Amino acid sequence: MEYFLELVLGGLTRGSIYALIALGYTMVYGIIELINFAHGEIYMIGAFTALIFTSVLTLLGFNEIAVIVLASLAAVIYSSAYGYTVEKIAYKPLRHTSRLSPLISAIGMSIFLQNYVLLAQTSDFLPFPNLIPEFEFIKPYRHIISSSEILILITTSTAMILLTFLIKFTRTGKAMRATAQDRNMAMLVGVNVDRVISITFVIGSALAALGGVLIASHVGQINFYVGFIAGIKAFTAAVLGGIGSIPGAVLGALVLGLTESFATGYISSDYEDVFAFGLLVLILIFKPAGILGRVTDRKL
Amino acid sequence: MIKAQEIKKSFIVSIWFMFLTFPIMVIRVNPIEEIVEWRWKNMFVVGIGSFLLSFVWRYMLKKREAGEKRAETGESGKTFLIQRILEERRFYIPLVTGLTIIAVAFPFIFSMYQTSIMTTALMYIVLGLGLNIVVGLAGLLDLGYVAFYAVGAYSYALLNHHFGLGFWSVLPIGAVLGFIFGVLLGFPVLRLRGDYLAIVTLGFGEIIRLVLENWNEFSFGPSGIANIDRPGFFGIQFSLQAASIYLYFLMIGFVIFTIIVVNRLQNSRIGRAWIALREDETACQVMGIDKTRTKLRAFALGATWAGMVGVIFAAKTTFINPASFTFLESAMILSIVVLGGMGSILGVIIGALILILLPEYLRAFSDYRMLLFGAIMVIMMVFRPQGIIANIRRRYKFDG
């Protein structure tokens, strides 16, 4: 029973990280119908930035809390800046071309960013310091849940609530929903579509960076390739829930996290990634619209 | 004349990029020994580089816009030199003869090492042409092409290891297995939207690699399979040097065979259906083309070719392991197709020669190889989506 509980909590933690990344995919897809392949790399850059700032700030003698806050902040700012720039360079000029071109451009961007980090930093796995302090009240339950898992769950839920609020109740959120429904119509009623798209990329990247910091400090190591696998898995989560739907992405991510956790816990950990990809293939075959997605008519 | 405004714009761009690359390019930390290395020189390079590149970028964008406007007003663009050479017989014949002589003499003039590199380049030409059927003609983005390549390579390696089957008997088996895997994967996913296909093929490619890596009883795991037989010639086994020359000519023959097949396919009913499907699916269905079946044919044919090249790859290197079949390999083949020109045979050949031979000969470049591939994909899509050599669309002139 305890093992089962451990797997459930582990799965939820994993799932909430995937959710943070999956939101970026689903928001971008909702608005410009593009699979942003470079999104996983944005997340990886977030983790690297956090690692770099942590080391520098620690050496400069800041205290622990200040290091955590500043490093996470730096990761969020830099990832957002990268997301914004990637959109301007690789996607904006291609907005009116066929579907294949932006997709190839996105893959190119992903490969470019991976190798940029590989060349500028290192190909080795770097140990990531555990930024999250041990909470006192968690001690008796240590064997089931760690404090970093609790923090991940809390941060993720807070981020989700804020995001939902932003999209449902603010002016920007309204503009985003309008753009997602019909870009040309939104433009006609005075929505600055370019700005909305940029904001979407920035928000998605910021969430990914948050996910990057949390998981890197939970797992304890990063390298330039972590973004690629995490990206595919987050995309799986987004598709699982129904791409374009924000609650869907969260639900899909949690389902994926639990599936992986149980599969590795009860079957074999060698095939961890195979389960995720296998799940993706199965969903696309049997329910391509996802759990919460609706089948939309194709526009002619 | 460069205006002050332009300089200001570039200046802002350069400041932005210096900010952007600051943590990754300037600082390098070693968390174990707690050393921080500051590389301020890099920031300077990024600043100057992005300042200059932003001028080029804007100039290219302007040129592209002008080109789009020309196309809209119906003014005919220039025909390119290469297209003109291809159309006129008096240029075309000597060119082909010259190439034939070079191709035949190559292994006798250059060293075995050069021949081996050339053979690799020829293999990538065939892989590029195979992927070109899928991506270029049918417009299906296949990111797991290397999976079929792995299927071919492993089928030869395993059949050779366990049953001692020779190269020539496995070549068709590899082709058939590639075909079967293509149909098996293609059948469920080809009904879906195009961009889902990209991610499913990507996932499938990774699954194949992970299975090969972990299923030790079947594939010998990450250590791979060694001592695979080289191709024989009616039972004759060659010396190392003769074998590499033999393989080179085998590849030349295979490239010619592929070119003929792809060329014939392109102009056949099914090739036209692919191109039509790529351009407009709905219109195509209205015309009575079975969408799924047509796509499946392209997908399975591409996989067949990858399977065959896989067999040749295993025979050439005599050693394979899962590390040869990563996503980067798929990405490389894709960038060959994108750089050369989607749908264009000549373009793919030139693309493969550039992307495979250049990093071999410019050793200083080889670290930057993948960085370059990524950049090429983005730049080509933004400025020249049709590739170096655009596919010449057949036009019918009405003489009347």
Side-chain angles (χ1 to χ4, degrees):
Chain A
M1 191 59 209
E2 229 163 54
Y3 186 57
F4 176 78
L5 206 64
E6 197 188 316
L7 288 182
V8 170
L9 286 167
L12 286 179
T13 316
R14 217 187 258 248
S16 32
I17 299 282
Y18 291 154
L20 283 176
I21 313 170
L23 282 170
Y25 275 113
T26 226
M27 282 163 67
V28 166
Y29 194 90
I31 287 191
I32 53 174
E33 298 212 329
L34 163 77
I35 299 175
N36 181 11
F37 270 96
H39 193 61
E41 272 58 51
I42 301 284
Y43 146 92
M44 177 268 294
I45 284 174
F48 256 99
T49 313
L51 172 67
I52 290 165
F53 275 87
T54 315
S55 306
V56 172
L57 292 173
T58 313
L59 281 184
L60 289 177
F62 281 79
N63 74 1
E64 234 175 54
I65 303 289
V67 169
I68 299 172
V69 173
L70 288 178
S72 312
L73 204 65
V76 168
I77 290 172
Y78 269 100
S79 281
S80 310
Y82 270 95
Y84 175 83
T85 315
V86 164
E87 195 267 329
K88 285 278 175 280
I89 290 177
Y91 308 142
K92 196 172 173 234
L94 293 173
R95 214 167 276 162
H96 303 289
T97 51
S98 70
R99 289 178 80 92
L100 202 57
S101 305
L103 211 54
I104 293 175
S105 173
I107 294 157
M109 206 53 181
S110 154
I111 297 171
F112 180 84
L113 287 176
Q114 259 178 39
N115 284 278
Y116 155 69
V117 173
L118 165 72
L119 291 170
Q121 293 286 318
T122 168
S123 62
D124 301 332
F125 268 101
L126 292 177
F128 198 96
N130 194 351
L131 297 173
I132 300 157
E134 283 292 321
F135 300 128
E136 272 303 316
F137 68 89
I138 207 85
K139 283 263 165 71
Y141 311 104
R142 220 18 275 257
H143 53 292
I144 302 174
I145 187 166
S146 67
S147 44
S148 65
E149 284 178 326
I150 287 208
L151 201 72
I152 287 173
L153 291 173
I154 293 172
T155 316
T156 319
S157 355
T158 318
M160 302 295 160
I161 292 167
L162 286 179
L163 183 70
T164 314
F165 180 79
L166 175 89
I167 287 175
K168 281 247 156 84
F169 300 111
T170 61
R171 223 180 133 72
T172 317
K174 210 177 200 173
M176 282 165 77
R177 279 181 288 144
T179 315
Q181 274 182 11
D182 191 329
R183 203 194 302 161
N184 291 331
M185 195 60 212
M187 228 186 278
L188 280 178
V189 295
V191 174
N192 186 345
V193 171
D194 280 344
R195 210 177 121 248
V196 168
I197 293 175
S198 290
I199 289 175
T200 311
F201 270 86
V202 166
I203 294 175
S205 307
L207 289 172
L210 209 55
V213 176
L214 288 172
I215 198 150
S217 88
H218 181 59
V219 174
Q221 56 173 10
I222 52 169
N223 80 343
F224 72 98
Y225 202 61
V226 291
F228 183 70
I229 295 287
I232 299 179
K233 287 189 183 167
F235 179 80
T236 306
V239 172
L240 184 58
I243 197 150
S245 143
I246 287 173
V250 178
L251 185 66
L254 293 179
V255 170
L256 179 69
L258 288 172
T259 311
E260 264 189 20
S261 183
F262 285 127
T264 51
Y266 287 124
I267 306 173
S268 155
S269 60
D270 286 344
Y271 291 102
E272 188 193 321
D273 295 339
V274 174
F275 293 123
F277 297 138
L279 190 64
L280 173 67
V281 175
L282 285 179
I283 294 152
L284 286 178
I285 294 166
F286 294 111
K287 196 157 179 0
I291 302 173
L292 296 183
R294 270 164 297 168
V295 182
T296 45
D297 290 329
R298 216 149 25 115
K299 287 172 202 160
L300 281 178
Chain B
M1 191 58 214
I2 301 168
K3 287 183 214 120
Q5 209 188 352
E6 296 261 298
I7 293 176
K8 197 181 142 202
K9 251 192 212 163
S10 288
F11 187 68
I12 293 171
V13 168
S14 114
I15 296 282
W16 175 252
F17 273 96
M18 282 201 283
F19 162 73
L20 205 59
T21 53
F22 169 69
I24 307 274
M25 292 285 282
V26 176
I27 312 169
R28 173 146 62 186
V29 292
N30 189 335
I32 302 165
E33 287 163 34
E34 300 201 334
I35 303 170
V36 176
E37 189 189 337
W38 298 86
R39 299 169 294 175
W40 293 107
K41 204 182 81 190
N42 283 347
M43 189 181 223
F44 184 69
V45 174
V46 168
I48 300 283
S50 54
F51 184 76
L52 296 176
L53 280 178
S54 74
F55 281 108
V56 179
W57 184 267
R58 275 201 303 273
Y59 171 74
M60 301 267 280
L61 269 186
K62 226 176 261 168
K63 220 175 128 186
R64 190 185 79 149
E65 267 165 34
E68 272 166 14
K69 233 170 246 163
R70 251 208 320 273
E72 265 170 33
T73 51
E75 268 177 65
S76 62
K78 312 162 268 188
T79 45
F80 293 96
L81 184 68
I82 298 204
Q83 286 180 7
R84 250 179 301 171
I85 289 175
L86 278 183
E87 272 161 20
E88 278 194 48
R89 235 183 136 70
R90 72 194 154 100
F91 292 121
Y92 175 78
I93 300 271
L95 198 75
V96 169
T97 340
L99 274 179
T100 316
I101 292 168
I102 293 172
V104 170
F106 191 88
F108 302 107
I109 299 170
F110 294 98
S111 69
M112 208 175 105
Y113 172 69
Q114 310 282 358
T115 314
S116 161
I117 289 174
M118 206 39 157
T119 314
T120 309
L122 291 171
M123 271 165 47
Y124 278 98
I125 290 180
V126 177
L127 282 173
L129 287 172
L131 187 62
N132 186 36
I133 298 176
V134 187
V135 179
L137 293 182
L140 306 166
L141 190 53
D142 182 355
L143 295 179
Y145 194 61
V146 81
F148 306 119
Y149 184 46
V151 165
Y154 266 90
S155 57
Y156 179 47
L158 289 171
L159 287 172
N160 185 262
H161 183 86
H162 292 302
F163 306 108
L165 285 183
F167 172 80
W168 289 105
S169 43
V170 181
L171 192 61
I173 298 177
V176 170
L177 280 176
F179 180 84
I180 290 172
F181 269 78
V183 172
L184 279 182
L185 177 70
F187 188 70
V189 296
L190 284 172
R191 294 172 301 146
L192 302 171
R193 302 266 299 270
D195 26 15
Y196 281 175
L197 180 74
I199 211 105
V200 172
T201 48
L202 178 64
F204 179 71
E206 287 292 295
I207 288 179
I208 292 257
R209 189 178 60 81
L210 287 167
V211 167
L212 288 177
E213 226 160 60
N214 289 309
W215 194 2
N216 289 329
E217 302 77 33
F218 172 71
S219 65
F220 300 95
S223 52
I225 303 169
N227 293 325
I228 304 164
D229 286 340
R230 288 172 204 284
F233 185 70
F234 294 111
I236 308 163
Q237 289 296 330
F238 294 107
S239 68
L240 195 61
Q241 180 155 14
S244 93
I245 293 176
Y246 175 54
L247 208 63
Y248 169 83
F249 281 112
L250 201 80
M251 271 323 295
I252 291 272
F254 197 40
V255 167
I256 293 170
F257 169 67
T258 312
I259 292 173
I260 292 170
V261 170
V262 175
N263 193 28
R264 299 301 297 165
L265 274 174
Q266 219 169 23
N267 297 326
S268 71
R269 185 186 155 80
I270 184 162
R272 297 292 176 80
W274 286 334
I275 294 168
L277 207 56
R278 179 187 71 190
E279 301 293 329
D280 192 333
E281 274 191 17
T282 316
C284 222
Q285 278 174 297
V286 172
M287 298 295 289
I289 291 167
D290 185 338
K291 191 175 91 177
T292 311
R293 190 180 288 177
T294 312
K295 280 183 179 176
L296 196 60
R297 280 184 188 146
F299 202 72
L301 258 175
T304 311
W305 248 259
M308 284 197 275
V309 186
V311 174
I312 297 174
F313 172 74
K316 176 178 183 283
T317 53
T318 70
F319 166 73
I320 55 167
N321 70 348
S324 317
F325 308 106
T326 57
F327 168 68
L328 291 182
E329 202 72 16
S330 294
M332 195 148 91
I333 305 169
L334 182 66
S335 46
I336 286 172
V337 177
V338 168
L339 176 71
M342 284 187 274
S344 142
I345 296 174
L346 186 67
V348 171
I349 294 172
I350 292 175
L353 290 178
I354 292 176
L355 285 184
I356 304 301
L357 296 185
L358 264 192
E360 278 311 328
Y361 289 114
L362 301 172
R363 277 284 162 196
F365 259 149
S366 60
D367 280 349
Y368 296 91
R369 189 176 169 141
M370 288 315 295
L371 192 79
L372 213 67
F373 286 176
I376 282 175
M377 282 197 223
V378 176
I379 291 168
M380 289 307 280
M381 280 302 119
V382 174
F383 297 115
R384 208 176 150 74
Q386 71 273 39
I388 298 179
I389 292 167
N391 187 24
I392 307 160
R393 290 290 284 276
R394 194 169 273 245
R395 287 203 183 86
Y396 290 103
K397 279 196 191 113
F398 182 63
D399 303 316

